[in-house]
Amino acid sequence: MQLSELRAEVQRRLNESTSSPVYFEDDDVDLALNDGYREISDASEWYETSDSITLVADQLYYDLDDLLGDVLLPLRIQNDSTSRWLTETTWKELDATYQKWQVQTGEPQRWVLRGLWQMGFWPFAGASGDTLTMKYAAMPSTMSADTDTPGFPARYHYTLVEYACYDLLVQEGEVAKALRYWNKYLRGEATLRDFVKGRSRVDRSGVVGAR
Amino acid sequence: MSSSRATLRTEVLYRLGDADSAIWSAAEINGYLDEGHYALCSRTGLIWAQETISVTADTATYDVSDNARVERVTWDDRRLEPLWAAELESTHPAFEETSGDPDFYVFDGDGMGTIRLVPVPDTNNSTDLVVEYTKDVGDTADSGETYSDIPAHYARYLRFFVLFRALERDGEGQDLQLADHYSARYEAGITRISARMAAVRATRRGCIGAIGRRGRKPPRPRLPWNYGEAVK
């Protein structure tokens, strides 16, 4: 569904005129729809994308938020020079193995996350220019044009309608009605989250001894 | 990466239906925003930073940032082992006087935000002591109008916290049912952040012979079949 269709559906459910809205104008509805879009994206982490990180000589930590924007969760990282996947580690593991791991240079083999967006690569690059490709879950761009559509499958689009109805009714003080829409939204969010996390399980067959 | 307090304030008042601040003043909303900012940072540990501290010869104690939750301390890129003062009292009674290159640090008994290096450094040094920590409260700028460390998509959770507080307080505009709802949304955000940090650790792949303990207890010993039987 396009943004214009989502907006019309919200206004229809709230018994609002779509041609000459009085209480819930187009901008208000769009704001609520986009808020729902961000909420469901944050909860389900459906938006997976990739980007390049250019290594800088002698730099150990990189601020993912500054480099890539709204990163939610790193998924996997590949060293473009060696074509090898980096393994995740912790600073405790590195301390247990290497007394001065923070000064070792070389081709990055492992990554360590400090906080939620400071990422370190070990060994760190001794020269600038090489790149890593990182796949990660992120926040999508908001919808602005009438023809914009949410990036997840169409069967979940009505969940945004339910969120917008909830958000707008709360502002009108219609708390009971709003919470009804909120509960419907939560069911839709859970369904999308389960789909995102389990979408490869349908085809996988069990193997004795497998996890 | 930063979030505007003015934007958050506008969003909150818009959802409260009080754009003119007739019921909830800007100062009140700012107070709740700051409270939520402290809670978000301290409960999740999502902001990590490091600080290089200049060291003076024969000085053992150094102040770290007030809102720092120390994770790791290094000297010349080598991790210093944290010890309790009680441990050193029994094993190295002169630990406060012995000088040399630090191998340990103590973070109790010298003040809330003060670490003690052991041995005491015997030369001036401006680069070797680095403290890594998570912040209990992020930095602000523009007289508190900008939360410098919080990305916008996490600053949304502050909005839920403020709505919860604003609707909870006694007086005009109170709505406890809605306050509970926003409290639950805020807590869901905290849980989401914590789950995200835990998920990164869970993706670690182990292999036989790899270093590092997985944090599990060793298996219980298998005792002989007749263990505990009386010897006849």
Side-chain angles (χ1 to χ4, degrees):
Chain A
M1 292 170 77
Q2 296 179 346
L3 179 61
S4 56
E5 294 168 316
L6 291 166
R7 187 192 308 127
E9 177 64 18
V10 172
Q11 287 167 330
R12 186 189 68 77
R13 290 194 191 192
L14 297 179
N15 198 25
E16 179 64 83
S17 165
T18 54
S19 54
S20 310
V22 176
Y23 294 108
F24 305 115
E25 298 184 359
D26 289 2
D27 286 348
D28 297 328
V29 178
D30 288 357
L31 208 61
L33 284 167
N34 273 309
D35 197 53
Y37 193 35
R38 293 187 76 80
E39 178 68 21
I40 201 171
S41 299
D42 192 24
S44 64
E45 299 170 354
W46 67 269
Y47 181 53
E48 296 166 350
T49 186
S50 66
D51 218 327
S52 241
I53 298 174
T54 302
L55 297 172
V56 177
D58 302 327
Q59 181 172 327
L60 176 56
Y61 291 108
Y62 294 76
D63 188 321
L64 295 181
D65 197 75
D66 284 346
L67 287 175
L68 304 174
D70 291 346
V71 176
L72 295 179
L73 185 70
L75 297 174
R76 50 185 189 274
I77 306 169
Q78 186 176 46
N79 186 329
D80 294 333
S81 303
T82 61
S83 297
R84 297 185 71 170
W85 295 105
L86 275 61
T87 53
E88 196 267 346
T89 186
T90 65
W91 58 265
K92 287 190 179 181
E93 221 167 50
L94 289 168
D95 277 332
T97 316
Y98 309 99
Q99 197 183 50
K100 287 197 173 189
W101 59 270
Q102 286 176 262
V103 298
Q104 290 178 315
T105 58
E107 285 291 347
Q109 299 170 26
R110 303 191 194 180
W111 58 274
V112 56
L113 197 64
R114 310 300 299 272
L116 210 49
W117 51 78
Q118 294 287 345
M119 181 169 280
F121 301 112
W122 177 87
F124 63 85
S128 299
D130 285 347
T131 58
L132 305 174
T133 298
M134 185 168 96
K135 296 184 191 295
Y136 57 98
M139 292 292 264
S141 305
T142 51
M143 299 179 286
S144 52
D146 276 358
T147 51
D148 285 345
T149 58
F152 45 77
R155 60 186 179 277
Y156 302 107
H157 289 185
Y158 280 102
T159 310
L160 297 185
V161 171
E162 272 137 19
Y163 184 97
C165 291
Y166 143 78
D167 196 34
L168 293 167
L169 286 169
V170 158
Q171 294 168 45
E172 292 296 308
E174 300 264 22
V175 176
K177 286 185 191 173
L179 293 180
R180 289 188 68 205
Y181 277 109
W182 172 252
N183 289 331
K184 290 183 192 175
Y185 161 78
L186 282 182
R187 285 195 287 273
E189 178 197 284
T191 310
L192 175 59
R193 191 173 56 240
D194 290 346
F195 171 71
V196 170
K197 300 300 177 195
R199 61 192 192 268
S200 67
R201 287 192 196 131
V202 175
D203 196 27
R204 284 176 66 91
S205 36
V207 174
V208 172
R211 289 182 54 184
Chain B
M1 147 183 42
S2 64
S3 308
S4 159
R5 196 163 69 167
T7 303
L8 288 165
R9 202 164 50 235
T10 303
E11 288 175 357
V12 165
L13 291 171
Y14 172 75
R15 279 174 175 76
L16 289 172
D18 188 28
D20 298 329
S21 284
I23 301 173
W24 293 278
S25 67
E28 182 182 359
I29 299 298
N30 283 347
Y32 298 145
L33 279 167
D34 288 344
E35 184 187 350
H37 186 220
Y38 299 149
L40 179 71
C41 298
S42 63
R43 288 183 61 185
T44 61
L46 78 173
I47 305 175
W48 177 85
Q50 55 183 352
E51 182 184 352
T52 302
I53 299 176
S54 277
V55 162
T56 307
D58 303 323
T59 300
T61 56
Y62 297 88
D63 290 337
V64 298
S65 175
D66 269 351
N67 62 31
R69 199 167 294 212
V70 175
E71 239 181 30
R72 183 172 178 264
V73 179
T74 61
W75 176 267
D76 191 23
D77 296 307
R78 176 175 51 84
R79 178 173 170 260
L80 299 184
E81 187 76 25
L83 293 177
W84 298 108
E87 290 175 296
L88 286 166
E89 282 166 15
S90 56
T91 56
H92 294 87
F95 72 93
E96 291 195 359
E97 286 94 38
T98 309
S99 61
D101 270 352
D103 293 310
F104 312 101
Y105 75 96
V106 176
F107 201 20
D108 70 286
D110 291 299
M112 276 283 291
T114 304
I115 60 171
R116 172 181 290 279
L117 301 179
V118 177
V120 181
D122 52 9
T123 53
N124 293 337
N125 188 296
S126 63
T127 58
D128 280 358
L129 179 62
V130 176
V131 178
E132 300 171 11
Y133 57 95
T134 56
K135 295 184 182 181
D136 268 354
V137 60
D139 291 341
T140 59
D142 306 325
S143 306
E145 280 297 288
T146 301
Y147 296 126
S148 312
D149 286 336
I150 306 284
H153 57 281
Y154 289 122
R156 290 178 67 246
Y157 302 153
L158 296 183
R159 192 210 312 163
F160 306 143
F161 183 89
V162 176
L163 286 166
F164 152 55
R165 280 277 189 252
L167 291 164
E168 180 191 48
R169 70 117 166 93
D170 277 342
E172 193 180 359
Q174 185 185 54
D175 187 328
L176 294 178
Q177 184 185 21
L178 208 47
D180 287 346
H181 165 73
Y182 281 117
S183 172
R185 285 196 70 178
Y186 173 72
E187 291 297 327
I190 297 292
T191 303
R192 207 173 281 168
I193 292 175
S194 303
R196 219 158 258 161
M197 294 175 82
V200 171
R201 288 191 288 273
T203 58
R204 290 174 53 235
R205 294 196 295 276
C207 60
I208 296 173
I211 51 94
R213 294 181 59 195
R214 297 176 70 86
R216 295 184 190 151
K217 293 180 183 176
R220 293 174 66 103
R222 292 174 65 91
L223 301 172
W225 66 270
N226 58 346
Y227 184 79
E229 298 262 336
V231 176
K232 294 178 183 169

